[in-house]
Amino acid sequence: YRNGSQNGLDPLPALLARADMVVCPVDCVNHHTYFTVKRYCKRSGKACVLLDRSGLPTLRKGVAVLAALVASPVAEETCSGA
């Protein structure tokens, strides 16, 4: 997702609805997108990790955090930072 709209419509809500879990590198998106993702995941209960930067090492850490969130029998937090 690159903060773009197609025909005046933002595709982000549809993308989030189809996702099983969300990885969002916050250095690649604007504030509106960041808060949209965070709110959506919290409301929907989807597992989400907000990465402080893009890059392979951070992505690896984010995937590990997602795995822990999904594996937890009682996931109190659905959205986590990495």
Side-chain angles (χ1 to χ4, degrees):
Y1 180 77
R2 288 286 185 186
N3 302 327
S5 62
Q6 299 169 349
N7 302 327
L9 299 174
D10 185 1
L12 184 59
L15 292 170
L16 290 170
R18 291 193 322 234
D20 294 323
M21 54 187 66
V22 179
V23 176
C24 180
V26 299
D27 64 341
C28 296
V29 297
N30 61 28
H31 286 92
H32 173 74
T33 300
Y34 168 83
F35 287 112
T36 298
V37 168
K38 189 171 180 178
R39 271 192 308 271
Y40 180 85
C41 291
K42 185 173 183 176
R43 289 180 186 159
S44 69
K46 287 190 182 183
C48 171
V49 65
L50 303 168
L51 306 177
D52 58 351
R53 74 191 101 202
S54 55
L56 192 54
T58 308
L59 178 61
R60 283 187 189 124
K61 183 178 177 184
V63 169
V65 169
L66 273 176
L69 283 172
V70 172
S72 173
V74 180
E76 292 180 17
E77 290 215 21
T78 57
C79 203
S80 179

